[in-house]
Structures are given as structure tokens and as C-alpha cells.
Amino acid sequence: MVIRRGAFVIKRMPGFTLVALACFFALYMPLAPLVVYSFNEGNNIALWEGLSLRWYREAWDNELVQSAAIRSLVVATVASVIATVLATMVALGTTRTRPYRGQTTIYALVNQPLIVPEIVTAVALLILFAMIKQATDYHGYAYLISAHTAFCIPFAYLPIRARLEGMDRVLETAAADLYATPWQAFKRVTLPLLLPGIFAGAMLAFVISLDDVVITEFVKSAGQDTLPTYMLGQLRRTITPEINAISTVLLTVSVIMVTLIFFLSRKKAK
Amino acid sequence: MATDNLEALAYKKEVKRNWLLSTPALIVLVCAASGPLLIMVLFSFLTPGDYGGVKWKWSTEAWFQVAFYKDIFDDTVTIADAHLSILWRSVRLSFLTTLTAFLLGFPTAYFIATRPPETRNIWLFLVTIPFWTNLLIRTFAILEIIRNHGVINSFLLAVGAIDQPLDMLFTDIAILLGMTYVYIPLMILPIYASMERFDFRLVEAAYDLYASRWRVLRKIILPLVKPGVIAGSILVFIPSLGAYVTPRVLGGGKNLMLGNLIELQFGQGRNWPLGAALSLTLLAIVMIALIFYVRSAQKDGGGHGH
Amino acid sequence: MKVAQKSLLAGVLLSMSSIALAAGQLNLYNWGNYTNPKLIEKFEKETGIKVTITDYDSNETALAKVRAGGHGFDLAVPSHSHLPIWVSEGLLANPRVDQMPNFKNVADEWRNPDWDPGRQYSAPWQWGSVGIMVDTSVYNGDINTFGIVLDPPQELVGKINVAPEMNDVITSAILYLGGEACTGDKQLLRKVRDKLVEAKPKWKSMDYGVIEKFAGRDLAASLYWNGAAFRARLKNPDVRYGYPREGYSLWADAVVLLKDAKNVEEAKTFMNFIMAPENAGLISEFARYANSIVGSEKYMPEDMATAPEVIIPKEFIGFGKFYPTCPPDVQKMYTAIWTELQK
């Protein structure tokens, strides 16, 4: 016991915990005014005029902003799921392999959406999709979802690739030696090991899609405003606390989800 | 000889598998990202339309304008110093953003990776929750924090650290803080992903050999999580270069960044070919850097995974 | 379980993707936060036509999207400066607004504007001006000049904002230096550039969202639009709006019928609808700019009908003008000056 007291904790790095906690604090601090102003009586996001639920009522009555919020969530979910699946496949095809012709091209293509400013992709997509829309008379969500999926791929790809690069082949080789089919080896060995990377990638893709404004603005068809494009339209006039109210609701939903996951995983652990 | 053939066959099979795995993503990317860019390549060689758009007349004027500036008043030709200074500001701020994000993000990722396994995903979620709100509203929230009568200044004044509010709003510092805030999850998550399975027995072994903490960090941990650090840096640096909303709101809009300059050409400037040429230039610079990185990574990671 | 989730998701997507283009529908493409929900509610109730609103944030985006085609919109609301471009590019159908029953309500001075001769294409939405906002508790002198931002008095230095709108800023500077909007006079444009570059260090920001900053007294002057000045005064009674004597620009947004509209009759019904005084009043009530319909004042909030920001005082009416979009070669010089200013 006496020895334990001054025990040398291997994982400890001096100051790291402090920086990490400060970082979490900094991540959440700006949310305080955001939430506070959602209860503002006045119609401004930086000028306090008294406590009221006015903007929650307005958001509740405003079909436009509600459908925009739901649309944002659905598009982000669908696009990030597809992007993560595709990104996992590319990552498996481009890491831990002997170099092959075309590998660099694949790498460049996958990362390309990161590099081009959004407005450029947006204008190019506008022109391309407008031609398709005129030819097919289809105005649905496939355009938005394919555009979002495309720019989400690199965000999902890089964490997954980083994870894969650090993974040893030994276990998979062992599985193969035990006559596992490649699919079995993947499902039982690679995938579970890869999961943290996939999880991180999917979450990045989700928030990136949720935030996109410029590409959405140019690609959307009639009646397809998302929360960010709805807000962009407000930028020149006044941004009202209605958006704060909606954001607060979204935050609450996400916090509830995290809490649920926490308790579910605890149950499992037991 | 026989083993050589077998080896070649195995290699062929591996390459085929790699292409099969990559094809679906490549189809989406070519249709909805890279393919349409060809339109931009074409546009950069056309004449600007009178009111936006392009005229179908061949011209290399746009490419000339990227690097050279023909004075509108006396027609003298000089290096386009406005474009250069905007490029320089963007690169400098993006670099500082990446550095700050790393200095804060690395310890945070380390912290998460050393939590008990069942709570790690919760911490990860905590990193992304603020991003469920909208980018614009988040940026305005930061504005609220750093303005003269904002939270930071009020706090510093109250504890007596300063006696005049710090004038942070509409400065490069504000842009730096804002961009770090916006992009830091892009640094934390990849680092975490490559660190999560880190084998701490290695660290233990190092300590047994009397290594200092600093040496362990530098010689053992950092090299092993390097892929994550590089992925994170790419994810932060490149989007910062083209950032549009944050510099505009927090910088007070007085100085352009690359993203704003390109946006201007497609908007009020009505010079789509120049906008296309400027962004292709940016694309080329970053692509060359990336390919250079991949090549060198392949070289020193050649034997990786056998 | 998994199947149930998938089919639920598919159901949500399906119901979202069915944008009805059938009769009894109308797709309006308008500036964000510009359409009064009460107006739409009233229209839907009276006509049974279901309206879908989609937002845009700039004339350039709207023009680019409509020109690309395949957008699915019926009506759009471009500014006067862009309206002739929409006509000459062949993007509009001619609904003969001048022959609609409610055209009788349009005020005389709005029946034959330069930018829509004979007013056949466009039904009026709202209009306003680009002027000067000043917090008179900080500066008490003459505010009816662009000199407030271009040659600022000492009290205002470092407390000035300029709207980040290239055309509005450069036009204002040209007028201040005695030129004509869209001038190709290089001597004058050089002076304009020098004046702007010299004035910029005295500005705090080039930004939107001025109302809260005037209310919080972070700003004391701005080149901005009249509607915002009006709303800022309601929060900070010292704010006044100046109409520059050197001349200032007016703008107007108007509803037009797109050539590839699928719901033409519904669209025409809407154009006629917004020219009724009680409906025009609803438009102004929401966005707080003036409209062009006689008798609509009765339906506006009281504080608006008398506001000097909304109703231009007689002595200043003559200085305001509608300026067109400049020709391409002039626009190129504008962009060069603008880039130079913000490098």
C-alpha cells in the first residue's frame, strides 16, 4: 500500500489531462450564450431583452425551419452512412498492400473534395445536375445525397486509414491459416479492430454534412432548404434566436442520445 | 521459379481486390466531385460571361490574371501582389490553426484513448456534440465570447488580469480562435483512431529502460500515432485554406482569405474563369504536396505489415 | 428490427422527395427570411394553392441557378438591377402584370420604372435605399453625406462599419467624388480606389448584422440599408439614418414569372394577390421595408407608417436613384478595386 501511493502511472503524461479538460471546457463554453439567447425575448442573437419562450413557439409554428432541421438530419445520416461504408472499402484497398499502379491516383481522387473550395464544386455541380434535372425531370434528394456523400468520403476515409495503418497483419494471417474465408477473417478480426476508426470517421462525416452550406445552396431543388441554407438566407437581415432555439433542441437530442448510449453500453458491460 | 509465379499471382489477386474495393467510392467521387471539376478546367479557358457564367470563346486571360496584375489605370503588368498577399495570409493562418489544433487536440485524444474502453465513445461524442449546431450560429457564439463586453474580457477584467478590454474581435487572433474551434474535432478524431489501440506495454518497457516521459512521448508514442497526426493535420489545414464563413464573420470581413477571393469571382465579380483558375491553382499546389507526402510515406513505410 | 428501421427511413425519404409539381402548387424562390409566413397562410387559405418557399442569399446565386435550368421554381424575386438581365437572358415569361386586376393599387411612380418599362414583367415586392447610419450621441454633425464613412469625423474613427457589398460601396464612393454610377472614367476610379484605401484603416468592420452592434454601442456609423437603420433605432433611440446629398442608390425587389414555370396560373394568382393593399401591408410588416402599393400603410404597424427611414423625407427624395448593373468592363475594374481594398 505504501508503495502504491507514489506509484508511477504509466499512462499519465503531465499536463495532458489539464489540457484535455480545458479543451472540453472551451468546446462547450461558446454554447452557453447560444443556449441563453434561445430564451431571448427580443429578436436578436446578441442583445438580451428579457426571458421568454417566444422563439421556441415561433420555431414550433414555423413549418419551414422545422422541415429544414429534419431534412438536415436525414441527409446527414444517409450521406454519412453511405460515405463511411465506401470510405472503409477504399481504406482497405489502399492501405497495408504492396504498392500498385493507380494507388496514388485513388488517394488523390479520394482527397480531392477536401482541397477544392466548396464554391467551385458547388458551381460545377449546379451545371452538371441542372442538365440531368432537365433531361430526367427528377428533382428529388438523390442530388443532395450524392453531393454530400462525395465530400464526406475523405472525412471518413482519413481516420479509418490512420487506424488501419497502425494495425498489424498478423491476426488476419493467423485467421487465414486457420482456414477462415477472407470474409470471415474480415468480419471476425479486421472489422472489430477497425471499429474505432470507422466510428470516428462516421461522426466526422455526419457533422461535416450537417454543416454544409455552399454546395447545398447550389444543388438543392425547390423546397429542399436545410438548416444552414435557411440560416444563410437570414445573414443579410437579422439572424433571429429562432435558430438558437432549434440548435438548443438539436443539442438536447444529441445529449439524450449520448446518455442513452452510455447506459446501454454500461448494461452490456455488466 | 514456381514460387515466383505464385507470388505474381497473389500480387495480381491483391491488386484486383484493391480495385474492387475502391470502385464504388470512386464512382461516387467521379460523378459528384472530381468529374464536375472538368467543367471548371474548361471554364478556366473561356471568356467571362457578361453577367456571370461563361462565353464560349477560348482565352488564357484567366490564368494570366492568377499570377499577374494588369493595372486597370495605366496597363502596366506586375506580379499580382493582391493575390499573393491573400494566399500568404491564408497559408499562415491555416498553418497556425493546424498547430493550435494539434497542441490542444493531441493531449485531448490521448486523454480519451486512456479512458476505460466503455467510456471512450462517450468522450468522442462529447467532442462532436457542439457540432450538431449550425456552423454560422457557432461562429456567432464565439463572437459573443470574444467581443469587448464578452465573457473572456469580463472574466479577465473581474480577476484583474487586465484593466482594458482586449480588442480581439475582427483581428487575425479572432479568426485563428474561431477556425481552431471549428476544426479541432477533425484533429482529435483521427489521432484518437490511431492511438486507441496503442500498446502501453511498449511505454512500460521504455520506462524500465529509464526513459524520461518526454523521451517516451517523442520516441515511442508520437512515431506510432504519426498516421493519425498526419491525417488530422490534412483535415484541418486544407479546409482552413478555403474557409469562408469564419474569416468573414470573425475577421469583420475587412481582409479576404482565399475562399472569399474565389467566392468573389463567382459572385459579384462575375469572373467565373478567374475563379476557376484560382481554385485549380490551389488544387494543384495542395495535390503536389499530398502526392509528395504519399510517395515519401510509402518509401519509409515500405515494409509495413510485411 | 433492422428491416423495420430501413423501411422507416425509406418512407421518410420518399415522403420528403415527393415535391409536388401538380396543379394547386406554387414554388416561390425568394431571399431568405423575406416572406411573411402570415402572407403565405392567408394566400393558401384564400386560394387553396400550396406554396413551397426556397431561399437564396444573393442575386448572383439566384441568377446562376435559374440560368442553369431544371430548378423547378415558378416565381423569383430579383432586384431591379438584375431584372433587365433576367429579361435579356430570356429567363422570364411575360405575365402582363400591368393588366392584372390589382395593378390599379400600384402607386403612379412605380407603374413605369426604367428597369421594367410598362411594368409587364414584375409585380412590386419591396424597396429601400443605401445610406448612412449614425449614432448621434457619438457624432452630432451632418449625417447626410457618405463623408461619414469616407472622410470620417474624428469621433467616429474606429467605430465604422461598411456593408460588404461591392457594388453598393463603390457606387457610393463614386457618387461622393462627384461621378456617375457605372462610370468608365479611369481618372475618377483611381480617385475612388485611393479614397477607399485611405478610409479603410478608420473602419472597424465590413460586415452584416449591424443592429445589435448599434444597440450595444460597439459601432457608431455604417454604410447600410434603411430597413436595418429603422430596426436599430427601435433598439437605440440615438440612431439616425442619413440620405447622402451627393446622391444615393435605391433598390427594389420584384416578383417575376419564370419561363420554365410549371404552375403558371397559380403564379399569376400570387402576383395579383400581393398587389392588394392588405397583403402588401403584410409583406412590409415582416421585412420592414416599404412597398409600392397605395393604401397598404393602413395595414402596416404604426411605427412604420411615419418612420423617416421607410418614408423618405421630401427634401431628400430627389437625391435617390435606381442604378442598373454595370457593364462587364466596368465591373472588372470594380472587382480589381475591391480586391485591392481587401488584400
Side-chain angles (χ1 to χ4, degrees):
Chain A
M1 277 328 224
V2 179
I3 300 167
R4 286 281 309 157
R5 176 164 298 176
F8 189 87
V9 185
I10 287 165
K11 291 182 179 178
R12 209 183 138 264
M13 281 289 159
F16 271 32
T17 304
L18 196 71
V19 174
L21 293 178
C23 188
F24 277 107
F25 178 71
L27 276 174
Y28 282 83
M29 189 174 63
L31 298 185
L34 191 158
V35 173
V36 167
Y37 278 105
S38 74
F39 297 101
N40 192 2
E41 164 72 36
N43 55 3
N44 204 292
I45 57 165
L47 187 65
W48 184 252
E49 287 178 46
L51 192 69
S52 131
L53 285 176
R54 172 185 167 191
W55 295 104
Y56 287 88
R57 258 197 321 274
E58 301 233 345
W60 183 252
D61 290 336
N62 189 342
E63 217 181 291
L64 219 56
V65 69
Q66 266 178 51
S67 57
I70 293 170
R71 199 172 290 125
S72 288
L73 286 176
V74 173
V75 170
T77 310
V78 176
S80 61
V81 167
I82 302 176
T84 310
V85 172
L86 297 183
T88 310
M89 289 166 64
V90 192
L92 288 167
T94 50
T95 25
R96 304 193 308 169
T97 163
R98 282 169 288 185
Y100 58 97
R101 184 185 281 274
Q103 197 180 1
T104 316
T105 314
I106 297 178
Y107 191 73
L109 276 175
V110 167
N111 285 296
Q112 175 268 321
L114 272 181
I115 304 164
V116 181
E118 265 196 283
I119 178 74
V120 181
T121 315
V123 172
L125 284 178
L126 167 70
I127 289 157
L128 179 73
F129 286 170
M131 286 193 271
I132 303 177
K133 282 177 188 175
Q134 279 166 313
T136 61
D137 209 29
Y138 168 72
H139 291 77
Y141 279 84
Y143 303 107
L144 262 189
I145 287 178
S146 55
H148 276 235
T149 304
F151 69 71
C152 282
I153 286 177
F155 288 94
Y157 171 79
L158 284 172
I160 299 173
R161 181 193 157 101
R163 173 86 187 169
L164 258 178
E165 273 180 343
M167 268 165 56
D168 213 310
R169 264 274 162 93
V170 174
L171 285 171
E172 283 128 306
T173 318
D177 289 346
L178 294 170
Y179 301 104
T181 62
W183 171 245
Q184 281 173 329
F186 171 75
K187 218 174 90 178
R188 298 282 171 81
V189 182
T190 320
L191 190 63
L193 282 171
L194 195 53
L195 222 46
I198 294 179
F199 191 68
M203 280 205 296
L204 276 190
F206 181 77
V207 295
I208 288 295
S209 164
L210 209 56
D211 256 351
D212 178 74
V213 45
V214 182
I215 290 178
T216 312
E217 179 76 10
F218 279 80
V219 169
K220 71 185 182 190
S221 303
Q224 293 184 346
D225 272 310
T226 61
L227 212 48
T229 64
Y230 176 80
M231 205 174 153
L232 182 73
Q234 291 194 326
L235 189 58
R236 285 198 197 201
R237 301 189 359 91
T238 310
I239 294 173
T240 59
E242 191 179 55
I243 299 286
N244 296 49
I246 288 279
S247 301
T248 307
V249 172
L250 280 178
L251 279 175
T252 316
V253 170
S254 56
V255 170
I256 291 172
M257 265 177 51
V258 174
T259 321
L260 274 179
I261 292 173
F262 178 70
F263 281 113
L264 283 178
S265 61
R266 281 253 302 228
K267 234 183 189 169
K268 238 190 224 165
K270 272 178 193 169
Chain B
M1 275 312 256
T3 45
D4 267 8
N5 269 339
L6 220 60
E7 182 74 358
L9 211 65
Y11 179 67
K12 239 186 190 165
K13 214 176 141 194
E14 192 182 325
V15 172
K16 196 178 154 202
R17 184 201 70 135
N18 289 339
W19 277 104
L20 277 178
L21 282 169
S22 307
T23 306
L26 292 185
I27 291 174
V28 173
L29 286 163
V30 166
C31 290
S34 319
L37 268 194
L38 291 179
I39 300 177
M40 282 295 137
V41 177
L42 179 65
F43 277 16
S44 72
F45 287 107
L46 295 174
T47 313
D50 288 352
Y51 303 103
V54 287
K55 276 193 239 170
W56 291 94
K57 212 175 112 206
W58 176 266
S59 157
T60 51
E61 179 73 18
W63 287 99
F64 177 78
Q65 285 172 0
V66 169
F68 299 104
Y69 173 69
K70 196 165 160 193
D71 194 278
I72 50 170
F73 305 120
D74 52 22
D75 284 348
T76 52
V77 173
T78 49
I79 297 283
D81 70 320
H83 291 174
L84 281 180
S85 72
I86 289 167
L87 175 74
W88 170 235
R89 176 181 308 111
S90 304
V91 169
R92 198 186 54 205
L93 273 173
S94 306
F95 176 76
L96 287 174
T97 303
T98 313
L99 189 69
T100 318
F102 172 74
L103 290 178
L104 289 172
F106 184 81
T108 308
Y110 187 91
F111 173 80
I112 299 174
T114 50
R115 291 309 95 193
E118 62 274 14
T119 61
R120 285 179 199 162
N121 282 351
I122 305 295
W123 285 103
L124 272 195
F125 256 128
L126 282 178
V127 172
T128 45
I129 282 180
F131 299 84
W132 279 60
T133 61
N134 181 286
L135 171 67
L136 273 166
I137 198 85
R138 235 162 37 232
T139 312
F140 279 102
I142 296 175
L143 192 143
E144 192 55 27
I145 298 267
I146 61 176
R147 67 199 193 108
N148 282 3
H149 307 287
V151 178
I152 292 184
N153 271 319
S154 308
F155 174 76
L156 289 176
L157 283 171
V159 300
I162 49 173
D163 39 49
Q164 278 283 320
L166 297 173
D167 212 356
M168 286 181 288
L169 194 53
F170 304 147
T171 61
D172 282 357
I173 301 274
I175 300 180
L176 177 64
L177 283 177
M179 292 212 300
T180 307
Y181 184 76
V182 169
Y183 292 122
I184 199 164
L186 306 183
M187 180 67 85
I188 296 178
L189 270 69
I191 296 183
Y192 162 79
S194 67
M195 195 187 266
E196 193 263 357
R197 47 162 292 286
F198 188 76
D199 189 346
F200 278 95
R201 280 173 307 184
L202 287 173
V203 177
E204 205 172 347
Y207 284 136
D208 289 345
L209 297 169
Y210 302 104
S212 68
R213 282 194 197 276
W214 173 240
R215 271 184 77 85
V216 166
L217 186 64
R218 226 173 33 142
K219 296 279 173 174
I220 298 177
I221 301 182
L222 264 180
L224 280 170
V225 300
K226 200 174 112 197
V229 174
I230 289 172
S233 304
I234 293 175
L235 282 176
V236 174
F237 183 75
I238 300 177
S240 309
L241 263 186
Y244 172 70
V245 171
T246 314
R248 176 151 200 176
V249 173
L250 294 176
K254 277 173 80 179
N255 294 313
L256 295 173
M257 299 257 290
L258 262 180
N260 312 77
L261 178 68
I262 291 169
E263 166 91 20
L264 175 67
Q265 309 307 328
F266 283 104
Q268 294 186 54
R270 299 185 340 219
N271 193 345
W272 287 22
L274 178 57
L278 279 171
S279 50
L280 289 171
T281 311
L282 173 67
L283 176 73
I285 296 173
V286 179
M287 270 294 176
I288 290 168
L290 265 184
I291 287 173
F292 187 72
Y293 150 69
V294 172
R295 287 269 156 84
S296 69
Q298 269 168 4
K299 239 174 239 159
D300 51 63
H304 201 78
H306 317 292
Chain C
M1 187 60 192
K2 266 188 186 158
V3 177
Q5 277 172 354
K6 264 186 204 157
S7 59
L8 183 73
L9 191 67
V12 170
L13 278 175
L14 210 64
S15 63
M16 280 172 67
S17 62
S18 57
I19 305 164
L21 294 164
Q25 300 280 330
L26 178 64
N27 276 307
L28 171 64
Y29 191 36
N30 198 354
W31 297 81
N33 200 19
Y34 210 35
T35 320
N36 191 345
K38 280 193 227 157
L39 176 83
I40 299 302
E41 221 168 88
K42 185 162 181 276
F43 177 75
E44 290 183 336
K45 213 161 159 193
E46 285 177 16
T47 63
I49 297 169
K50 169 100 183 63
V51 183
T52 305
I53 302 169
T54 312
D55 294 347
Y56 59 84
D57 74 308
S58 72
N59 275 309
E60 288 79 15
T61 307
L63 179 60
K65 272 198 91 146
V66 170
R67 186 155 49 187
H71 42 75
F73 303 122
D74 302 310
L75 293 170
V77 194
S79 301
H80 77 280
S81 55
H82 280 67
L83 209 144
I85 303 173
W86 292 56
V87 175
S88 69
E89 300 262 314
L91 302 174
L92 302 185
N94 185 347
R96 290 310 296 257
V97 172
D98 58 327
Q99 290 177 2
M100 290 182 176
N102 279 339
F103 189 73
K104 61 178 192 289
N105 299 319
V106 175
D108 284 342
E109 65 269 32
W110 295 98
R111 292 193 168 201
N112 189 21
D114 295 342
W115 35 271
D116 184 10
R119 195 114 215 185
Q120 300 189 359
Y121 285 99
S122 68
W125 184 261
Q126 295 189 89
W127 65 275
S129 59
V130 181
I132 292 289
M133 290 168 74
V134 174
D135 185 330
T136 49
S137 70
V138 178
Y139 175 72
N140 212 354
D142 176 21
I143 62 166
N144 296 301
T145 167
F146 285 121
I148 293 286
V149 297
L150 294 173
D151 281 316
Q154 204 48 48
E155 300 94 303
L156 293 175
V157 170
K159 293 174 183 161
I160 296 168
N161 176 66
V162 170
E165 294 283 330
M166 180 170 94
N167 290 321
D168 289 338
V169 173
I170 295 183
T171 303
S172 302
I174 291 174
L175 294 172
Y176 179 65
L177 294 173
E180 270 296 313
C182 291
T183 178
D185 178 352
K186 289 189 176 175
Q187 285 310 314
L188 186 84
L189 283 177
R190 188 198 290 262
K191 274 196 261 169
V192 165
R193 179 192 65 182
D194 295 345
K195 177 53 78 187
L196 286 170
V197 169
E198 172 203 313
K200 189 186 157 200
K202 298 171 186 161
W203 302 343
K204 185 177 177 73
S205 58
M206 295 172 73
D207 200 6
Y208 302 113
V210 296
I211 297 171
E212 61 273 14
K213 294 189 193 97
F214 270 90
R217 297 182 192 262
D218 290 327
L219 287 175
S222 181
L223 183 138
Y224 219 74
W225 300 295
N226 58 325
F230 168 52
R231 284 184 295 172
R233 177 167 59 84
L234 298 180
K235 311 265 190 233
N236 173 352
D238 295 324
V239 173
R240 292 288 177 276
Y241 184 68
Y243 294 92
R245 273 191 202 85
E246 308 91 28
Y248 57 88
S249 6
L250 294 169
W251 54 264
D253 296 331
V255 181
V256 295
L257 175 63
L258 301 178
K259 190 169 220 162
D260 34 9
K262 296 213 166 62
N263 308 298
V264 175
E265 283 317 307
E266 289 83 353
K268 284 184 181 169
T269 311
F270 186 79
M271 292 172 103
N272 186 50
F273 176 81
I274 58 166
M275 290 189 287
E278 65 273 26
N279 302 331
L282 279 177
I283 296 177
S284 293
E285 174 204 79
F286 183 74
R288 297 258 168 177
Y289 285 99
N291 59 62
S292 318
I293 303 299
V294 176
S296 65
E297 317 80 56
K298 283 187 297 222
Y299 301 96
M300 287 187 214
E302 246 171 69
D303 54 4
M304 263 190 95
T306 54
E309 294 91 351
V310 179
I311 314 297
I312 304 178
K314 278 219 167 51
E315 65 266 40
F316 296 119
I317 288 182
F319 304 131
K321 251 192 185 167
F322 287 99
Y323 293 106
T325 303
C326 301
D329 50 325
V330 173
Q331 194 73 14
K332 215 174 184 176
M333 294 196 261
Y334 276 27
T335 312
I337 293 174
W338 191 247
T339 311
E340 183 76 16
L341 180 66
Q342 293 189 289
K343 76 175 178 190

